[in-house]
Amino acid sequence: MDDSNKIFVGGLAWATDDHGLKAAFESFGNVTEAKVIADRMTGRSRGFGFVTFDTAEAATEALSFDGQMLDGRTVRVDKANRRTDR
């Protein structure tokens, strides 16, 4: 998978789900996956997620959503980074 097509979205409201996350970013391009990360034990949102687009250009455009409101919360949007500590 090419991480240049993926963005990180932090500061999500507890009520934001995969569908709501996808809907918020569809205006930037074709969203191939939108995933709110949940706690393994409780199933509750951890307050962040990832959105994957079919093009790197769409992901780059979506970075402009940084600081915007989603479900009543100001979200932080950045390029996704592959975890290398494990």
Side-chain angles (χ1 to χ4, degrees), residues 41-73:
M41 299 296 286
T42 66
R44 182 176 167 180
S45 168
R46 292 184 59 199
F48 68 94
F50 297 92
V51 179
T52 306
F53 295 89
D54 62 354
T55 67
E57 292 79 15
T60 299
E61 284 185 38
L63 296 176
S64 68
F65 199 79
D66 185 52
Q68 300 298 309
M69 296 290 283
L70 176 59
D71 294 336
R73 297 279 311 261

Side-chain angles (χ1 to χ4, degrees), residues 7-13 21 25 46-50 66-68 70 73-78:
I7 61 168
F8 166 87
V9 185
L12 294 175
L21 185 61
F25 286 91
R46 292 184 59 199
F48 68 94
F50 297 92
D66 185 52
Q68 300 298 309
L70 176 59
R73 297 279 311 261
T74 302
V75 296
R76 185 171 63 91
V77 180
D78 204 349

Side-chain angles (χ1 to χ4, degrees), residues 4-41:
S4 65
N5 294 9
K6 188 181 233 184
I7 61 168
F8 166 87
V9 185
L12 294 175
W14 302 127
T16 303
D17 60 11
D18 295 349
H19 178 73
L21 185 61
K22 180 178 182 179
F25 286 91
E26 286 178 320
S27 64
F28 296 103
N30 185 43
V31 174
T32 58
E33 182 181 35
K35 182 73 178 159
V36 174
I37 305 303
D39 182 274
R40 289 184 181 142
M41 299 296 286

